[in-house]
Amino acid sequence: MKSERRSLIKKLFASVAGIAGIGAASKVQAEAAAPAPQKEVGDVEMYQDVPLFSGHTKYNNLVFVAGKGAHFDGDITAHTKHVLDELEKELIKAGSSMEKVLKCSVFLHDLNDYKAMNEAYKGRFGSKPPCRTTVAVYGGVPGDSLVEIDCIAYV
């Protein structure tokens, strides 16, 4: 009786394992047949007729926005507001929004501008702001901007 029971359990286990194996194999085959995701780019900046960088790059459900600066005379408050407005425009072009930003990097020309930059920055990303890194850059931000900000968001 025990040997019949063991034999029945082994057959049942083998049957279940076979079905699961077939299911797993077909899933692997379906995934292998699906086309690989492609990156999408927006607003490509050219340098001497050669692509230099994109305003944003999308991959799967993520969007990476290139650093935005403010290239006009003004103080840190005006520059920060301008940069955040430019980030928002780029996010919208990519199908995202400020509320979907996951990570920001802030590059300051002068660390003494940290407090004023924060005043202009606060509240721009909704009630669940992204994580952020803020650094002052040796030699300043390119293009005479007082601040540059890039970000990663989801779509």
Side-chain angles (χ1 to χ4, degrees):
M1 184 76 158
K2 283 186 176 182
S3 65
E4 288 177 13
R5 192 171 174 185
R6 283 185 186 156
S7 176
L8 182 59
I9 290 172
K10 285 181 182 178
K11 287 180 184 177
L12 181 60
F13 180 77
S15 177
V16 169
I19 291 170
I22 291 169
S26 63
K27 182 179 177 185
V28 168
Q29 288 173 345
E31 288 174 355
Q38 299 293 313
K39 78 175 183 178
E40 301 171 34
V41 299
D43 299 330
V44 176
E45 287 288 324
M46 304 294 281
Y47 179 72
Q48 298 176 346
D49 296 328
V50 178
L52 188 59
F53 67 91
S54 303
H56 70 267
T57 300
K58 287 171 58 173
Y59 187 78
N60 286 339
N61 68 331
L62 293 177
V63 59
F64 302 81
V65 177
K68 303 294 181 194
H71 308 291
F72 57 85
D73 287 336
D75 64 5
I76 188 64
T77 300
H79 278 210
T80 303
K81 287 179 180 179
H82 174 80
V83 166
L84 291 169
D85 289 344
E86 292 301 306
L87 273 181
E88 186 169 26
K89 288 177 193 174
E90 196 71 38
L91 287 163
I92 289 168
K93 280 191 231 176
S96 190
S97 69
M98 296 291 269
E99 290 76 19
K100 294 180 178 181
V101 173
L102 302 169
K103 169 80 170 87
C104 277
S105 297
V106 177
F107 306 94
L108 292 172
H109 176 78
D110 185 342
L111 194 54
N112 291 318
D113 288 335
Y114 182 76
K115 185 176 178 182
M117 179 278 299
N118 269 337
E119 284 299 313
Y121 180 100
K122 69 180 180 183
R124 289 297 302 265
F125 296 92
S127 63
K128 296 180 180 179
C131 59
R132 183 181 93 184
T133 299
T134 304
V135 296
V137 229
Y138 179 77
V141 176
D144 297 326
S145 183
L146 300 177
V147 62
E148 184 169 318
I149 303 174
D150 67 15
C151 68
I152 302 169
Y154 63 94
V155 182

Short mmCIF file of all heavy atoms in Angstrom, two decimals, residues 40-91:
data_model
loop_
_atom_site.label_atom_id
_atom_site.label_comp_id
_atom_site.label_asym_id
_atom_site.label_seq_id
_atom_site.Cartn_x
_atom_site.Cartn_y
_atom_site.Cartn_z
N GLU A 40 14.71 55.98 -27.15
CA GLU A 40 14.19 57.09 -27.96
C GLU A 40 14.88 58.36 -27.48
O GLU A 40 15.13 58.51 -26.29
CB GLU A 40 12.69 57.25 -27.75
CG GLU A 40 11.87 56.03 -28.10
CD GLU A 40 10.42 56.19 -27.66
OE1 GLU A 40 9.89 57.33 -27.68
OE2 GLU A 40 9.83 55.19 -27.26
N VAL A 41 15.19 59.24 -28.41
CA VAL A 41 15.83 60.50 -28.03
C VAL A 41 15.02 61.68 -28.52
O VAL A 41 14.26 61.57 -29.48
CB VAL A 41 17.29 60.59 -28.57
CG1 VAL A 41 18.15 59.49 -28.01
CG2 VAL A 41 17.32 60.56 -30.08
N GLY A 42 15.16 62.80 -27.84
CA GLY A 42 14.45 64.01 -28.22
C GLY A 42 15.41 65.19 -28.26
O GLY A 42 16.33 65.28 -27.46
N ASP A 43 15.19 66.09 -29.22
CA ASP A 43 15.96 67.33 -29.33
C ASP A 43 17.47 67.09 -29.31
O ASP A 43 18.16 67.46 -28.36
CB ASP A 43 15.58 68.31 -28.22
CG ASP A 43 14.13 68.71 -28.26
OD1 ASP A 43 13.56 68.73 -29.37
OD2 ASP A 43 13.57 69.00 -27.20
N VAL A 44 17.99 66.45 -30.34
CA VAL A 44 19.41 66.16 -30.43
C VAL A 44 20.19 67.44 -30.72
O VAL A 44 19.90 68.16 -31.67
CB VAL A 44 19.70 65.10 -31.51
CG1 VAL A 44 21.19 64.86 -31.68
CG2 VAL A 44 18.98 63.79 -31.18
N GLU A 45 21.17 67.73 -29.88
CA GLU A 45 22.08 68.87 -30.09
C GLU A 45 23.21 68.40 -31.01
O GLU A 45 23.78 67.34 -30.79
CB GLU A 45 22.68 69.34 -28.76
CG GLU A 45 21.71 70.07 -27.88
CD GLU A 45 21.39 71.47 -28.38
OE1 GLU A 45 22.29 72.14 -28.94
OE2 GLU A 45 20.23 71.88 -28.23
N MET A 46 23.48 69.20 -32.00
CA MET A 46 24.53 68.85 -32.95
C MET A 46 25.76 69.73 -32.71
O MET A 46 25.64 70.87 -32.26
CB MET A 46 24.03 69.07 -34.38
CG MET A 46 22.76 68.31 -34.72
SD MET A 46 22.95 66.53 -34.72
CE MET A 46 23.73 66.28 -36.29
N TYR A 47 26.91 69.18 -33.01
CA TYR A 47 28.17 69.92 -32.96
C TYR A 47 28.94 69.57 -34.21
O TYR A 47 29.32 68.41 -34.40
CB TYR A 47 28.96 69.56 -31.70
CG TYR A 47 30.29 70.28 -31.59
CD1 TYR A 47 30.33 71.63 -31.30
CD2 TYR A 47 31.48 69.60 -31.81
CE1 TYR A 47 31.54 72.30 -31.21
CE2 TYR A 47 32.69 70.25 -31.72
CZ TYR A 47 32.72 71.60 -31.43
OH TYR A 47 33.91 72.28 -31.35
N GLN A 48 29.15 70.55 -35.08
CA GLN A 48 29.83 70.35 -36.35
C GLN A 48 29.20 69.19 -37.13
O GLN A 48 29.88 68.28 -37.59
CB GLN A 48 31.33 70.12 -36.13
CG GLN A 48 32.02 71.30 -35.50
CD GLN A 48 33.48 71.04 -35.19
OE1 GLN A 48 33.95 69.90 -35.20
NE2 GLN A 48 34.21 72.10 -34.91
N ASP A 49 27.87 69.21 -37.22
CA ASP A 49 27.08 68.21 -37.95
C ASP A 49 27.19 66.80 -37.38
O ASP A 49 26.93 65.82 -38.09
CB ASP A 49 27.43 68.21 -39.44
CG ASP A 49 27.08 69.53 -40.12
OD1 ASP A 49 26.09 70.17 -39.69
OD2 ASP A 49 27.81 69.92 -41.05
N VAL A 50 27.60 66.67 -36.13
CA VAL A 50 27.68 65.37 -35.48
C VAL A 50 26.80 65.42 -34.23
O VAL A 50 26.88 66.38 -33.46
CB VAL A 50 29.15 65.04 -35.07
CG1 VAL A 50 29.23 63.72 -34.35
CG2 VAL A 50 30.05 65.06 -36.29
N PRO A 51 25.96 64.39 -34.02
CA PRO A 51 25.11 64.39 -32.82
C PRO A 51 25.97 64.43 -31.55
O PRO A 51 26.91 63.65 -31.40
CB PRO A 51 24.36 63.07 -32.91
CG PRO A 51 24.47 62.63 -34.32
CD PRO A 51 25.74 63.21 -34.84
N LEU A 52 25.64 65.37 -30.66
CA LEU A 52 26.42 65.54 -29.43
C LEU A 52 25.69 64.95 -28.22
O LEU A 52 26.23 64.13 -27.50
CB LEU A 52 26.71 67.02 -29.22
CG LEU A 52 27.66 67.41 -28.10
CD1 LEU A 52 29.03 66.77 -28.28
CD2 LEU A 52 27.80 68.92 -28.03
N PHE A 53 24.46 65.41 -27.97
CA PHE A 53 23.66 64.85 -26.88
C PHE A 53 22.19 65.14 -27.14
O PHE A 53 21.86 65.95 -28.00
CB PHE A 53 24.09 65.38 -25.51
CG PHE A 53 23.84 66.85 -25.28
CD1 PHE A 53 22.64 67.29 -24.73
CD2 PHE A 53 24.80 67.79 -25.62
CE1 PHE A 53 22.41 68.63 -24.53
CE2 PHE A 53 24.58 69.14 -25.41
CZ PHE A 53 23.37 69.57 -24.87
N SER A 54 21.33 64.48 -26.39
CA SER A 54 19.89 64.64 -26.54
C SER A 54 19.33 65.40 -25.36
O SER A 54 19.83 65.29 -24.24
CB SER A 54 19.20 63.28 -26.59
OG SER A 54 19.72 62.51 -27.64
N GLY A 55 18.26 66.15 -25.60
CA GLY A 55 17.57 66.84 -24.51
C GLY A 55 16.97 65.86 -23.51
O GLY A 55 16.91 66.13 -22.32
N HIS A 56 16.54 64.72 -24.03
CA HIS A 56 16.10 63.63 -23.16
C HIS A 56 16.26 62.31 -23.90
O HIS A 56 16.32 62.28 -25.13
CB HIS A 56 14.63 63.82 -22.71
CG HIS A 56 13.62 63.63 -23.79
ND1 HIS A 56 13.16 64.68 -24.55
CD2 HIS A 56 13.00 62.53 -24.27
CE1 HIS A 56 12.27 64.23 -25.44
NE2 HIS A 56 12.16 62.92 -25.28
N THR A 57 16.35 61.25 -23.13
CA THR A 57 16.41 59.90 -23.67
C THR A 57 15.41 59.05 -22.90
O THR A 57 15.38 59.09 -21.66
CB THR A 57 17.83 59.29 -23.52
OG1 THR A 57 18.76 60.10 -24.23
CG2 THR A 57 17.88 57.87 -24.06
N LYS A 58 14.59 58.31 -23.64
CA LYS A 58 13.63 57.40 -23.01
C LYS A 58 14.07 55.97 -23.25
O LYS A 58 14.53 55.62 -24.34
CB LYS A 58 12.24 57.61 -23.62
CG LYS A 58 11.58 58.89 -23.18
CD LYS A 58 10.31 59.20 -23.93
CE LYS A 58 9.24 58.16 -23.85
NZ LYS A 58 7.96 58.61 -24.46
N TYR A 59 13.89 55.15 -22.22
CA TYR A 59 14.16 53.72 -22.34
C TYR A 59 13.15 53.02 -21.45
O TYR A 59 13.08 53.31 -20.24
CB TYR A 59 15.59 53.38 -21.92
CG TYR A 59 15.94 51.94 -22.19
CD1 TYR A 59 16.25 51.53 -23.48
CD2 TYR A 59 15.93 51.00 -21.19
CE1 TYR A 59 16.57 50.21 -23.75
CE2 TYR A 59 16.24 49.68 -21.44
CZ TYR A 59 16.56 49.28 -22.73
OH TYR A 59 16.85 47.97 -22.98
N ASN A 60 12.37 52.12 -22.04
CA ASN A 60 11.25 51.49 -21.34
C ASN A 60 10.39 52.60 -20.74
O ASN A 60 9.96 53.48 -21.46
CB ASN A 60 11.73 50.49 -20.29
CG ASN A 60 12.25 49.20 -20.90
OD1 ASN A 60 11.92 48.86 -22.03
ND2 ASN A 60 13.06 48.49 -20.16
N ASN A 61 10.16 52.57 -19.45
CA ASN A 61 9.29 53.59 -18.84
C ASN A 61 10.08 54.69 -18.13
O ASN A 61 9.52 55.41 -17.32
CB ASN A 61 8.29 52.94 -17.88
CG ASN A 61 8.96 52.36 -16.65
OD1 ASN A 61 10.12 51.95 -16.70
ND2 ASN A 61 8.25 52.31 -15.55
N LEU A 62 11.36 54.81 -18.44
CA LEU A 62 12.18 55.85 -17.81
C LEU A 62 12.55 56.93 -18.82
O LEU A 62 12.73 56.65 -20.01
CB LEU A 62 13.47 55.26 -17.24
CG LEU A 62 13.32 54.32 -16.05
CD1 LEU A 62 14.68 53.76 -15.65
CD2 LEU A 62 12.68 55.03 -14.88
N VAL A 63 12.67 58.15 -18.32
CA VAL A 63 13.15 59.25 -19.15
C VAL A 63 14.28 59.95 -18.40
O VAL A 63 14.16 60.22 -17.20
CB VAL A 63 12.02 60.24 -19.53
CG1 VAL A 63 11.35 60.85 -18.33
CG2 VAL A 63 12.53 61.33 -20.44
N PHE A 64 15.37 60.17 -19.09
CA PHE A 64 16.56 60.82 -18.55
C PHE A 64 16.65 62.19 -19.22
O PHE A 64 16.75 62.27 -20.45
CB PHE A 64 17.81 60.00 -18.86
CG PHE A 64 17.75 58.59 -18.33
CD1 PHE A 64 17.07 57.59 -19.01
CD2 PHE A 64 18.36 58.27 -17.13
CE1 PHE A 64 17.00 56.30 -18.52
CE2 PHE A 64 18.31 56.98 -16.63
CZ PHE A 64 17.62 55.99 -17.32
N VAL A 65 16.59 63.25 -18.43
CA VAL A 65 16.62 64.61 -18.99
C VAL A 65 18.01 65.20 -18.77
O VAL A 65 18.53 65.20 -17.66
CB VAL A 65 15.53 65.50 -18.34
CG1 VAL A 65 15.62 66.92 -18.88
CG2 VAL A 65 14.15 64.91 -18.61
N ALA A 66 18.58 65.72 -19.86
CA ALA A 66 19.90 66.34 -19.82
C ALA A 66 19.87 67.58 -18.94
O ALA A 66 18.82 68.21 -18.75
CB ALA A 66 20.34 66.72 -21.23
N GLY A 67 21.02 67.96 -18.43
CA GLY A 67 21.13 69.14 -17.60
C GLY A 67 20.66 70.39 -18.32
O GLY A 67 20.99 70.60 -19.48
N LYS A 68 19.89 71.18 -17.61
CA LYS A 68 19.39 72.45 -18.14
C LYS A 68 20.03 73.58 -17.34
O LYS A 68 20.14 73.50 -16.12
CB LYS A 68 17.86 72.55 -18.00
CG LYS A 68 17.09 71.42 -18.66
CD LYS A 68 17.25 71.45 -20.16
CE LYS A 68 16.45 70.32 -20.80
NZ LYS A 68 16.80 70.11 -22.17
N GLY A 69 20.44 74.62 -18.04
CA GLY A 69 21.04 75.78 -17.40
C GLY A 69 20.30 77.05 -17.77
O GLY A 69 19.35 77.02 -18.56
N ALA A 70 20.71 78.15 -17.19
CA ALA A 70 20.12 79.46 -17.48
C ALA A 70 21.23 80.36 -18.00
O ALA A 70 22.16 80.67 -17.27
CB ALA A 70 19.50 80.05 -16.21
N HIS A 71 21.14 80.74 -19.24
CA HIS A 71 22.23 81.46 -19.88
C HIS A 71 21.82 82.91 -20.15
O HIS A 71 21.68 83.33 -21.30
CB HIS A 71 22.65 80.71 -21.15
CG HIS A 71 22.93 79.26 -20.87
ND1 HIS A 71 24.01 78.85 -20.14
CD2 HIS A 71 22.24 78.14 -21.17
CE1 HIS A 71 23.99 77.53 -20.02
NE2 HIS A 71 22.92 77.08 -20.64
N PHE A 72 21.60 83.62 -19.06
CA PHE A 72 21.25 85.04 -19.14
C PHE A 72 21.68 85.68 -17.82
O PHE A 72 21.95 84.99 -16.84
CB PHE A 72 19.74 85.22 -19.37
CG PHE A 72 18.86 84.56 -18.34
CD1 PHE A 72 18.53 85.21 -17.14
CD2 PHE A 72 18.34 83.29 -18.55
CE1 PHE A 72 17.73 84.60 -16.18
CE2 PHE A 72 17.53 82.68 -17.59
CZ PHE A 72 17.22 83.34 -16.41
N ASP A 73 21.74 86.99 -17.79
CA ASP A 73 22.07 87.69 -16.55
C ASP A 73 20.92 87.53 -15.57
O ASP A 73 19.76 87.64 -15.95
CB ASP A 73 22.32 89.18 -16.81
CG ASP A 73 23.64 89.43 -17.50
OD1 ASP A 73 24.54 88.58 -17.37
OD2 ASP A 73 23.77 90.47 -18.18
N GLY A 74 21.26 87.26 -14.32
CA GLY A 74 20.23 87.11 -13.30
C GLY A 74 20.82 86.52 -12.04
O GLY A 74 21.98 86.09 -12.02
N ASP A 75 20.01 86.45 -11.01
CA ASP A 75 20.47 85.86 -9.75
C ASP A 75 20.08 84.38 -9.69
O ASP A 75 19.45 83.85 -10.61
CB ASP A 75 19.90 86.65 -8.56
CG ASP A 75 18.39 86.59 -8.47
OD1 ASP A 75 17.74 85.87 -9.26
OD2 ASP A 75 17.84 87.28 -7.58
N ILE A 76 20.47 83.72 -8.61
CA ILE A 76 20.22 82.29 -8.47
C ILE A 76 18.73 81.96 -8.47
O ILE A 76 18.32 80.93 -9.00
CB ILE A 76 20.94 81.70 -7.22
CG1 ILE A 76 20.84 80.16 -7.19
CG2 ILE A 76 20.37 82.30 -5.94
CD1 ILE A 76 21.53 79.46 -8.32
N THR A 77 17.92 82.83 -7.93
CA THR A 77 16.47 82.58 -7.91
C THR A 77 15.91 82.56 -9.33
O THR A 77 15.18 81.63 -9.71
CB THR A 77 15.75 83.65 -7.06
OG1 THR A 77 16.27 83.59 -5.73
CG2 THR A 77 14.25 83.42 -7.02
N ALA A 78 16.25 83.57 -10.13
CA ALA A 78 15.78 83.62 -11.52
C ALA A 78 16.32 82.44 -12.32
O ALA A 78 15.58 81.82 -13.11
CB ALA A 78 16.21 84.94 -12.17
N HIS A 79 17.58 82.09 -12.11
CA HIS A 79 18.17 80.97 -12.83
C HIS A 79 17.50 79.65 -12.45
O HIS A 79 17.21 78.83 -13.32
CB HIS A 79 19.68 80.91 -12.58
CG HIS A 79 20.46 81.85 -13.43
ND1 HIS A 79 21.74 81.59 -13.83
CD2 HIS A 79 20.16 83.06 -13.97
CE1 HIS A 79 22.20 82.58 -14.58
NE2 HIS A 79 21.24 83.50 -14.65
N THR A 80 17.28 79.44 -11.16
CA THR A 80 16.66 78.18 -10.70
C THR A 80 15.25 78.05 -11.26
O THR A 80 14.86 76.97 -11.76
CB THR A 80 16.64 78.10 -9.17
OG1 THR A 80 17.98 78.22 -8.68
CG2 THR A 80 16.05 76.79 -8.69
N LYS A 81 14.46 79.12 -11.19
CA LYS A 81 13.09 79.07 -11.73
C LYS A 81 13.12 78.76 -13.23
O LYS A 81 12.34 77.92 -13.71
CB LYS A 81 12.37 80.39 -11.47
CG LYS A 81 11.97 80.55 -10.01
CD LYS A 81 11.27 81.88 -9.76
CE LYS A 81 10.89 81.99 -8.28
NZ LYS A 81 10.24 83.27 -7.98
N HIS A 82 14.01 79.40 -13.97
CA HIS A 82 14.12 79.15 -15.40
C HIS A 82 14.50 77.70 -15.69
O HIS A 82 13.90 77.05 -16.55
CB HIS A 82 15.16 80.10 -16.02
CG HIS A 82 15.43 79.82 -17.45
ND1 HIS A 82 14.61 80.24 -18.46
CD2 HIS A 82 16.45 79.12 -18.04
CE1 HIS A 82 15.10 79.83 -19.62
NE2 HIS A 82 16.22 79.15 -19.38
N VAL A 83 15.49 77.19 -14.98
CA VAL A 83 15.95 75.82 -15.19
C VAL A 83 14.83 74.82 -14.90
O VAL A 83 14.61 73.88 -15.66
CB VAL A 83 17.20 75.54 -14.32
CG1 VAL A 83 17.51 74.06 -14.24
CG2 VAL A 83 18.40 76.31 -14.87
N LEU A 84 14.10 75.03 -13.82
CA LEU A 84 12.99 74.13 -13.48
C LEU A 84 11.88 74.20 -14.53
O LEU A 84 11.28 73.18 -14.88
CB LEU A 84 12.46 74.43 -12.08
CG LEU A 84 13.44 74.06 -10.96
CD1 LEU A 84 12.96 74.63 -9.63
CD2 LEU A 84 13.64 72.55 -10.86
N ASP A 85 11.62 75.39 -15.06
CA ASP A 85 10.64 75.52 -16.15
C ASP A 85 11.09 74.75 -17.39
O ASP A 85 10.29 74.08 -18.05
CB ASP A 85 10.42 77.00 -16.52
CG ASP A 85 9.66 77.77 -15.44
OD1 ASP A 85 9.03 77.15 -14.56
OD2 ASP A 85 9.71 79.03 -15.50
N GLU A 86 12.39 74.83 -17.70
CA GLU A 86 12.93 74.10 -18.85
C GLU A 86 12.88 72.59 -18.64
O GLU A 86 12.57 71.84 -19.58
CB GLU A 86 14.36 74.56 -19.15
CG GLU A 86 14.45 76.00 -19.65
CD GLU A 86 13.66 76.22 -20.93
OE1 GLU A 86 13.87 75.47 -21.90
OE2 GLU A 86 12.82 77.15 -20.95
N LEU A 87 13.18 72.15 -17.43
CA LEU A 87 13.06 70.72 -17.11
C LEU A 87 11.62 70.26 -17.32
O LEU A 87 11.37 69.21 -17.91
CB LEU A 87 13.45 70.44 -15.66
CG LEU A 87 14.89 70.19 -15.32
CD1 LEU A 87 15.04 69.92 -13.83
CD2 LEU A 87 15.48 69.04 -16.11
N GLU A 88 10.68 71.05 -16.83
CA GLU A 88 9.27 70.68 -16.96
C GLU A 88 8.87 70.57 -18.43
O GLU A 88 8.18 69.62 -18.82
CB GLU A 88 8.39 71.69 -16.23
CG GLU A 88 6.93 71.30 -16.20
CD GLU A 88 6.11 72.14 -15.26
OE1 GLU A 88 6.48 73.31 -15.00
OE2 GLU A 88 5.08 71.63 -14.79
N LYS A 89 9.28 71.51 -19.25
CA LYS A 89 8.97 71.46 -20.69
C LYS A 89 9.52 70.18 -21.32
O LYS A 89 8.85 69.53 -22.13
CB LYS A 89 9.55 72.68 -21.41
CG LYS A 89 8.84 73.97 -21.12
CD LYS A 89 9.56 75.13 -21.83
CE LYS A 89 9.08 76.47 -21.34
NZ LYS A 89 9.88 77.57 -21.93
N GLU A 90 10.76 69.85 -20.98
CA GLU A 90 11.39 68.65 -21.55
C GLU A 90 10.68 67.38 -21.09
O GLU A 90 10.49 66.44 -21.86
CB GLU A 90 12.87 68.61 -21.18
CG GLU A 90 13.69 67.65 -22.00
CD GLU A 90 13.92 68.09 -23.44
OE1 GLU A 90 14.10 69.30 -23.69
OE2 GLU A 90 13.93 67.21 -24.32
N LEU A 91 10.30 67.34 -19.81
CA LEU A 91 9.56 66.18 -19.28
C LEU A 91 8.23 66.01 -20.01
O LEU A 91 7.84 64.89 -20.36
CB LEU A 91 9.33 66.34 -17.78
CG LEU A 91 10.57 66.13 -16.91
CD1 LEU A 91 10.34 66.70 -15.52
CD2 LEU A 91 10.93 64.65 -16.84
#
